[in-house]
Amino acid sequence: MSQDASTAADKGSRAAIRVWIDFVCPYCLLGERVIRAATEGLEVDVVWMPFELRPYPTPTLRPEDEYLPTAWKQGVYPAAERAGIAIRLPSVSPQPYTRKAFLGLQYAVEHGQGDAYVDAVLRAFFQQDRDIGDTDVLKAIFQDLGLDPHALDAALASPLYGERHDAALREAREAGIRAVPSVAVGNRLFSGTPQPEALRAEILRQMT
């Protein structure tokens, strides 16, 4: 599994899957394990696609309101326990916008660290309770991955990165994305987290 071109046991055709995520959706952290299970041993490139659940200036959610604690108690925590993944409702209030994090992802992908960056940002928010809308937090993640933290400033100011991001958001709308994570294998779209067996079967079908 890699947008950074992993090696795999199966030397047949390479497959590419697109995975729409938002860094403030806990199911995107849980879905990483599904992607890994579905692609294990296969030559698959994972292309991480942006989908902002609440783009600026839409108000973001607040953990002190009723909705988030209830949703986590009823859905997120039971799913995380079944998967054996540590996760907690972040205290950051209101929740951050994720455009900055996605612009940083573009730079990370260009420098071979796309998968690692996605994992690091999700874990920063859902396991370390860090504000991933804060530029300094994203710079620290860059540094941890061996990327130049000062390059983030250029990424955030880049008209090209901004245009790419906006185009990707339009593509998501045109593709009918309504939930994250969503996974596209060829022309087949799994809306929400797919079952690993079904996703793997579709990948294998596309590789033949």
Side-chain angles (χ1 to χ4, degrees):
M1 164 195 158
S2 180
Q3 194 166 19
D4 312 319
S6 66
T7 56
D10 181 0
K11 298 303 181 183
S13 304
R14 291 194 72 85
I17 65 175
R18 292 177 295 165
V19 183
W20 282 269
I21 60 169
D22 195 0
F23 291 114
V24 292
C25 174
Y27 293 102
C28 292
L29 175 61
L30 304 184
E32 277 191 307
R33 179 163 295 185
V34 172
I35 301 297
R36 286 198 298 270
T39 59
E40 184 178 4
L42 303 178
E43 289 197 344
V44 178
D45 294 326
V46 178
V47 182
W48 301 103
M49 304 292 293
F51 183 80
E52 295 182 45
L53 290 167
R54 293 168 186 84
Y56 180 84
T58 304
T60 60
L61 300 177
R62 294 156 47 96
E64 60 267 31
D65 293 339
E66 182 178 356
Y67 172 75
L68 279 176
T70 300
W72 277 65
K73 180 178 180 181
Q74 295 177 351
V76 177
Y77 283 127
E81 185 174 359
R82 289 192 298 271
I85 297 174
I87 195 170
R88 59 178 172 171
L89 174 61
S91 66
V92 179
S93 182
Q95 291 196 329
Y97 293 106
T98 51
R99 184 181 181 90
K100 285 183 181 180
F102 279 121
L103 295 178
L105 173 60
Q106 289 191 48
Y107 182 88
V109 168
E110 290 175 354
H111 291 79
Q113 293 285 357
D115 290 343
Y117 177 87
V118 167
D119 184 70
V121 174
L122 288 169
R123 293 186 183 278
F125 192 50
F126 292 115
Q127 294 182 342
Q128 301 161 14
D129 201 20
R130 297 161 73 189
D131 182 357
I132 57 171
D134 186 289
T135 302
D136 288 338
V137 170
L138 296 176
K139 284 183 175 181
I141 291 172
F142 263 40
Q143 179 126 23
D144 289 344
L145 297 178
L147 300 172
D148 178 6
H150 299 293
L152 181 63
D153 293 321
L156 298 182
S158 168
L160 176 60
Y161 279 24
E163 290 167 7
R164 285 178 183 167
H165 180 68
D166 293 337
L169 295 180
R170 289 194 298 272
E171 181 182 347
R173 290 194 295 271
E174 293 166 1
I177 303 301
R178 296 291 182 271
V180 288
S182 286
V183 184
V185 185
N187 292 325
R188 182 171 180 188
L189 177 66
F190 296 85
S191 183
T193 307
Q195 292 297 318
E197 297 82 5
L199 179 57
R200 185 178 182 87
E202 184 62 25
I203 292 170
L204 289 170
R205 190 182 74 81
Q206 295 279 343
M207 294 175 75
T208 58

